[in-house]
Amino acid sequence: AQSVTQLGSHVSVSEGALVLLRCNYSSSVPPYLFWYVQYPNQGLQLLLKYTSAATLVKGINGFEAEFKKSETSFHLTKPSAHMSDAAEYFCAVSGSNFNKFYFGSGTKLNVKP
Amino acid sequence: DAMVIQNPRYQVTQFGKPVTLSCSQTLNHNVMYWYQQKSSQAPKLLFHYYDKDFNNEADTPDNFQSRRPNTSFCFLDIRSPGLGDAAMYLCATSRGQGSSYEQYFGPGTRLTVT
């Protein structure tokens, strides 16, 4: 069975500070992992995905994530937060039967000036 | 630009009055999904189509139905909306059913039930 846990429903950082959003997964098969961002009243936009090609995945808007099998983690980072990064972020793992996504509960990122 | 389009963006309906939400895509993807997302929660999969093959999630209420008349369009019908059905409804597509395929989401339709 697949599942995702996102630690911290709310994260607050100052502009220019490091962003770290945590995601741990559980999967009975080699996982495919995704990070999405959602702005208020918008759909989800793909930031990046892990499909086993490389453990460090670079995405859009300066975000990256590192797949660590030993820790079953796929944390999202960005070296320097920007005000426009304020949004909700969802981690997801896809299922083995078909492309069913199991989403984490989301982390709302607040960026302080 | 290829994209997923949802209309309307905001829909108000009355308690018990049937409502239909629409989704179209120009990506020519085989798979289309409908999600329900309530405030501050993760999206919850209602059902998906692989081509014309319909797949219902086990816990999707019978009140929710879907139609996919062709590759490009997919509709969500709520036969008798209740107050608890007020939510954002997200349509998504993917190229295939393989687990590595990312899903592309539309902007969503926010449904209000009065």
Side-chain angles (χ1 to χ4, degrees):
Chain A
Q2 283 73 27
S3 67
V4 166
T5 302
Q6 290 184 241
L7 290 176
S9 59
H10 291 80
V11 170
S12 186
V13 301
S14 297
E15 192 172 20
L18 171 72
V19 175
L20 171 61
L21 304 182
R22 300 178 186 274
C23 172
N24 288 88
Y25 70 90
S26 172
S27 178
S28 56
V29 297
Y32 295 102
L33 295 156
F34 306 81
W35 274 101
Y36 282 84
V37 61
Q38 185 177 33
Y39 297 99
N41 289 314
Q42 296 290 328
L44 278 68
Q45 180 184 7
L46 180 69
L47 281 175
L48 49 81
K49 68 174 186 179
Y50 167 75
T51 57
S52 77
T55 57
L56 183 62
V57 182
K58 293 187 183 300
I60 63 170
N61 301 340
F63 284 93
E64 62 182 37
E66 186 172 9
F67 173 73
K68 292 187 176 180
K69 185 178 179 180
S70 60
E71 299 177 7
T72 60
S73 69
F74 190 57
H75 301 332
L76 181 71
T77 61
K78 181 174 180 177
S80 177
H82 192 272
M83 296 297 291
S84 61
D85 295 326
E88 189 158 21
Y89 293 79
F90 290 96
C91 182
V93 62
S94 67
S96 58
N97 292 332
F98 71 97
N99 198 9
K100 177 174 181 175
F101 277 20
Y102 296 83
F103 284 96
S105 53
T107 298
K108 286 187 177 176
L109 176 66
N110 178 46
V111 181
K112 300 175 290 186
Chain B
D1 284 343
M3 56 198 304
V4 182
I5 302 159
Q6 290 188 246
N7 286 305
R9 293 292 315 279
Y10 299 89
Q11 176 73 56
V12 180
T13 190
Q14 293 177 337
F15 182 94
K17 184 175 181 180
V19 65
T20 295
L21 309 182
S22 72
C23 176
S24 63
Q25 54 128 341
T26 60
L27 297 161
N28 203 32
H29 283 173
N30 292 322
V31 192
M32 295 187 78
Y33 309 79
W34 278 106
Y35 288 88
Q36 179 192 64
Q37 185 182 26
K38 296 191 175 180
S39 182
S40 299
Q41 295 184 21
K44 177 181 179 296
L45 183 64
L46 295 173
F47 20 62
H48 79 280
Y49 278 92
Y50 179 65
D51 287 336
K52 286 191 175 292
D53 184 22
F54 175 73
N55 297 273
N56 201 32
E57 291 298 293
D59 58 354
T60 298
D62 292 339
N63 197 27
F64 291 84
Q65 303 287 324
S66 183
R67 297 170 283 133
R68 190 180 185 185
N70 54 53
T71 300
S72 300
F73 285 87
C74 196
F75 300 98
L76 171 62
D77 301 308
I78 308 176
R79 293 193 294 187
S80 181
L83 297 178
D85 297 327
M88 175 78 92
Y89 289 88
L90 297 168
C91 175
T93 73
S94 66
R95 188 177 307 160
Q97 284 200 126
S99 298
S100 66
Y101 290 110
E102 62 265 39
Q103 294 184 15
Y104 295 81
F105 285 80
T109 295
R110 181 165 295 283
L111 178 68
T112 300
V113 181
T114 61

